[in-house]
Amino acid sequence: MPERYQDTKLLISKKDRNKIIYDIKNSKNFKKLKNEKEIINNSEEILNFKYPDFYSKEILKKIDNYPTKILIFINDNSDTLNYQRIED
């Protein structure tokens, strides 16, 4: 079976962008990363990252018995929120 991939982009207000970035930066498990290869975590907890170009909130979990990765990410200078859902 092929992967199922969803990519959605939403235009949000600057106030909402700032709140999302604030929530990510102030989470208990926030980490700054150089790239995605630094992620080593197979748990179902929510992960909060700062990559060089954007902030991200990610989760890996099984949904309907399919390993699923859910991500939201946002750039410091953009009012576009990106949502991705990837099922393997």
Side-chain angles (χ1 to χ4, degrees), residues 39-58:
I39 300 173
I40 302 174
N41 192 326
N42 293 324
S43 71
E44 290 192 2
E45 72 178 307
I46 297 173
L47 307 171
N48 297 278
F49 300 114
K50 167 68 169 115
Y51 292 94
D53 298 329
F54 62 91
Y55 289 89
S56 177
K57 184 175 286 280
E58 306 176 13

Side-chain angles (χ1 to χ4, degrees), residues 12 16-27 29-33 36 39 46-58 70-78 80-84:
I12 61 175
D16 287 338
R17 179 193 72 211
N18 292 337
K19 181 183 182 330
I20 291 167
I21 290 173
Y22 177 85
D23 288 345
I24 290 172
K25 287 171 57 174
N26 291 291
S27 66
N29 62 357
F30 174 72
K31 294 180 185 170
K32 288 186 180 183
L33 303 176
E36 192 169 330
I39 300 173
I46 297 173
L47 307 171
N48 297 278
F49 300 114
K50 167 68 169 115
Y51 292 94
D53 298 329
F54 62 91
Y55 289 89
S56 177
K57 184 175 286 280
E58 306 176 13
I70 300 171
L71 304 96
I72 64 163
F73 52 95
I74 191 163
N75 188 300
D76 276 329
N77 302 317
S78 173
T80 302
L81 178 71
N82 295 285
Y83 169 85
Q84 292 180 345

Side-chain angles (χ1 to χ4, degrees), residues 1-6 67 85-88:
M1 296 291 292
E3 287 184 343
R4 197 164 102 185
Y5 181 83
Q6 175 186 356
R85 179 179 169 144
I86 304 163
E87 295 177 7
D88 286 330

